[in-house]
Amino acid sequence: MAAPGAEEDPMSRYRSPLVSRYASPEMGFNFSERKKFGTWRRLWLYLAQAEKSLGLPITDEQIKEMEANLDNIDFKMAAEEEKKLRHDVMAHVHTFAHCCPKAAAIIHLGATSCYVGDNTDLIVLRDGFNLLLPKLARVISRLADFAEKYADMPTLGFTHYQPAQLTTVGKRCCLWIQDLCMDLHNLQRARDDLRFRGVKGTTGTQASFLQLFEGDHSKVEELDRLVTAKAGFKRAFMVTGQTYSRKVDIEVLSVLASLGASIHKICTDIRLLANLKEIEEPFEKEQIGSSAMPYKRNPMRSERCCSLARHLMTLVLDPLQTASVQWFERTLDDSANRRVCLAEAFLTADIILSTLQNISEGLVVYPKVIERRIQQELPFMATENIIMAMVKAGGNRQDCHEKIRVLSQQAAAVVKQEGGDNDFIARVRADSYFSPIHKQLESLLDPSSFTGRAPQQVAKFLKEEVRPALVPYQSEMGGKIELAL
């Protein structure tokens, strides 16, 4: 049984946190009922305008009446009609006709439900990409600024999450940026590859429109072209069943799932770095990290991104299965599934991009911690440089190797068994065998000499690949983002 007053109290009903808690108002509106049904009415208007221009008996008065009522939607009436008719499109045909009595006879003329349903979905998908792309570009831009700032700062590299050769803070960030640039390209491609379903009729044959135009194939083709252009698309599918191919949804959600994987990796790296106390996401003055442990600074933004990215990555399974079971010209077991997975994919991508932008605008670097960790590992990494210097000073490579092996194992025992600091270099300084290079040890241990071409790679990558990719979004780069929750 429902709780008392549940119908009146929105807090007594489940609301998706994707909308109520996280997503931007713009993306929430893009998948709203108002956007959906307002687009249906515009598609009916485009169809009537195009049919009129091609000679069907539709009057200017009917067109003006439709234009005046595009957003005058009686949602209560539509819900009552759908409950009675068990058909959402006809419910809205009747609701539109109620406020357009003069145009009632020509609304939805020759069309099937998928004319408004599928074409609206394609418009919403396109508009969803148009909302995501500037957000992704802003994230890349913020991270590019960060990479440029820290291009020269040496940091300990990790392979297998074990200490490896040095890299730089900026170079590591470029690994993140490169993945996101691939996502930017893939989202642009997926958007630009979208085609309009167009005006195709009940099974895609355009038979109803051919009848309306008394067998004139050229007018049917022109009708399709006109409506496609009015909806803002350059191309329509040449062949469809009742629906556009559900493989389109696979392509759309695949690129979003791939974006989710990129962000999960980035935010996992940030979480690991936070544990090492090298880099942290922003932490607000009054923010509480733990209800039990006041000292904690949990990386909750990065954790949120990882959590939601996992959801985003799983959603691609829905269209994969849906496309595989579409019988012949269509079957309706796609509808309920698509209402959920398409909207949730874009809403989720929107949330994690906004959150990652907030993170990237406030990343905090702790140079002293980074330097200390380098000093703990660098002595072992410098052994090859020490051997080369000794050989240049006249030493024997094999003898030097053995000396270093013994000293490094002694130093490792101090670190691992006694919990002390790495004293390998002190042991080298104390050993007269290495006296020919004692004055060189400081330069041999300069961290910047271990980072290779990392700074140059950062500069070249940002200049030649990243900044040019952001040019189309320059006008939308301004402003920091604050998280509501």
Side-chain angles (χ1 to χ4, degrees):
M1 294 179 61
E7 292 185 3
E8 294 78 23
D9 179 13
M11 292 298 147
S12 297
R13 302 178 64 186
Y14 174 78
R15 297 183 300 159
S16 169
L18 294 177
V19 175
S20 66
R21 188 173 177 88
Y22 298 128
S24 67
E26 298 80 13
M27 191 62 80
F29 175 75
N30 191 51
F31 287 92
S32 68
E33 299 287 270
R34 186 167 295 281
K35 167 74 176 278
K36 175 181 178 179
F37 298 125
T39 304
W40 283 14
R41 291 192 174 189
R42 284 164 175 77
L43 287 167
W44 282 320
L45 173 65
Y46 300 155
L47 181 62
Q49 289 172 330
E51 288 174 336
K52 178 181 182 298
S53 71
L54 292 170
L56 293 189
I58 296 172
T59 67
D60 289 338
E61 191 175 23
Q62 289 172 316
I63 296 295
K64 289 178 180 178
E65 189 179 53
M66 294 173 73
E67 290 174 335
N69 288 281
L70 292 176
D71 297 307
N72 178 27
I73 304 173
D74 187 338
F75 287 99
K76 183 177 179 181
M77 178 182 177
E80 292 171 350
E81 286 288 322
E82 184 173 355
K83 187 175 182 180
K84 179 174 63 177
L85 302 174
R86 297 292 176 182
H87 198 288
D88 56 350
V89 173
M90 287 309 299
H92 278 270
V93 168
H94 289 184
T95 304
F96 195 20
H98 180 75
C99 57
C100 298
K102 294 175 183 176
I106 56 93
I107 293 172
H108 199 66
L109 182 61
T112 185
S113 297
C114 285
Y115 167 69
V116 288
D118 271 32
N119 284 324
T120 292
D121 286 345
L122 290 162
I123 290 170
V124 168
L125 295 179
R126 177 197 64 195
D127 294 351
F129 278 127
N130 286 336
L131 290 172
L132 292 180
L133 281 163
K135 292 191 173 190
L136 176 52
R138 283 196 291 272
V139 170
I140 294 171
S141 175
R142 305 305 189 265
L143 290 175
D145 292 341
F146 180 86
E148 189 171 50
K149 181 177 180 179
Y150 294 102
D152 299 325
M153 181 180 284
T155 190
L156 188 64
F158 289 96
T159 58
H160 315 276
Y161 200 38
Q162 301 300 313
Q165 283 190 349
L166 301 191
T167 182
T168 68
V169 172
K171 169 64 189 300
R172 175 178 285 148
C173 183
C174 284
L175 299 180
W176 302 341
I177 295 170
Q178 182 166 250
D179 287 351
L180 293 176
C181 284
M182 293 172 66
D183 293 315
L184 185 72
H185 173 77
N186 288 337
L187 263 66
Q188 289 171 165
R189 175 187 52 76
R191 179 198 61 187
D192 295 344
D193 281 351
L194 286 174
R195 287 195 258 177
F196 205 51
R197 177 191 176 274
V199 183
K200 296 297 193 297
T202 55
T203 58
T205 65
Q206 298 177 305
S208 57
F209 297 105
L210 191 63
Q211 185 175 3
L212 280 174
F213 289 106
E214 299 179 344
D216 191 331
H217 289 267
S218 63
K219 284 191 174 182
V220 175
E221 290 184 359
E222 181 64 5
L223 178 71
D224 205 357
R225 189 195 67 77
L226 286 172
V227 174
T228 297
K230 286 177 182 291
F233 284 80
K234 295 180 180 179
R235 298 182 302 161
F237 288 104
M238 295 183 70
V239 295
T240 72
Q242 190 172 88
T243 69
Y244 67 78
S245 170
R246 294 309 184 220
K247 282 184 70 67
V248 173
D249 297 342
I250 297 174
E251 295 299 310
V252 168
L253 264 65
S254 290
V255 299
L256 297 181
S258 184
L259 171 65
S262 298
I263 294 178
H264 197 294
K265 185 264 192 289
I266 293 168
C267 291
T268 299
D269 283 356
I270 293 172
R271 291 164 65 190
L272 293 169
L273 290 167
N275 173 260
L276 297 174
K277 297 181 176 58
E278 293 189 5
I279 293 179
E280 288 182 344
E281 65 178 38
F283 195 90
E284 296 169 20
K285 185 178 180 181
E286 297 183 9
Q287 182 175 334
I288 294 174
S290 168
S291 62
M293 294 168 280
Y295 61 87
K296 293 198 75 179
R297 292 171 65 95
N298 298 334
M300 53 82 68
R301 293 167 171 83
S302 298
E303 290 173 318
R304 175 184 298 175
C305 284
C306 290
S307 181
L308 291 171
R310 287 201 297 273
H311 177 59
L312 178 55
M313 288 185 281
T314 65
L315 288 172
V316 72
L317 295 176
D318 278 353
L320 281 167
Q321 295 182 69
T322 294
S324 72
V325 297
Q326 286 298 287
W327 303 344
F328 304 111
E329 281 64 50
R330 85 90 42 102
T331 176
L332 198 60
D333 65 347
D334 63 339
S335 178
N337 184 288
R338 295 175 69 253
R339 289 175 192 267
V340 176
C341 71
L342 295 180
E344 288 200 353
F346 278 87
L347 289 165
T348 306
D350 178 71
I351 296 160
I352 60 178
L353 281 173
S354 295
T355 308
L356 185 56
Q357 180 184 336
N358 176 262
I359 293 169
S360 62
E361 288 172 347
L363 284 173
V364 181
V365 178
Y366 296 103
K368 294 297 184 183
V369 178
I370 293 173
E371 183 180 343
R372 185 179 67 187
R373 183 158 284 108
I374 289 174
Q375 294 307 319
Q376 290 171 346
E377 301 293 341
L378 191 59
F380 292 149
M381 295 180 189
T383 54
E384 185 175 2
N385 288 3
I386 292 172
I387 292 174
M388 295 301 103
M390 282 294 295
V391 171
K392 288 180 181 178
N396 179 285
R397 192 263 179 201
Q398 313 313 328
D399 293 340
C400 184
H401 183 281
E402 178 60 19
K403 281 278 190 180
I404 287 177
R405 185 187 70 82
V406 173
L407 295 182
S408 63
Q409 289 188 2
Q410 291 171 351
V414 171
V415 173
K416 295 178 180 179
Q417 297 173 21
E418 300 175 19
D421 292 331
N422 189 332
D423 64 358
F424 172 73
I425 296 300
R427 293 174 185 273
V428 172
R429 290 187 189 278
D431 193 323
S432 60
Y433 174 81
F434 294 98
S435 58
I437 64 163
H438 280 170
K439 292 182 179 180
Q440 300 179 45
L441 285 177
E442 187 172 340
S443 61
L444 292 174
L445 290 167
D446 180 2
S448 63
S449 67
F450 290 82
T451 59
R453 297 193 63 254
Q456 291 73 24
Q457 288 177 346
V458 171
K460 186 177 179 67
F461 174 61
L462 295 181
K463 179 182 178 181
E464 297 185 11
E465 289 196 29
V466 180
R467 303 295 186 190
L470 301 179
V471 169
Y473 306 99
Q474 286 301 320
S475 64
E476 302 173 271
M477 287 296 180
K480 288 191 174 183
I481 192 166
E482 299 294 334
L483 297 184
L485 288 173

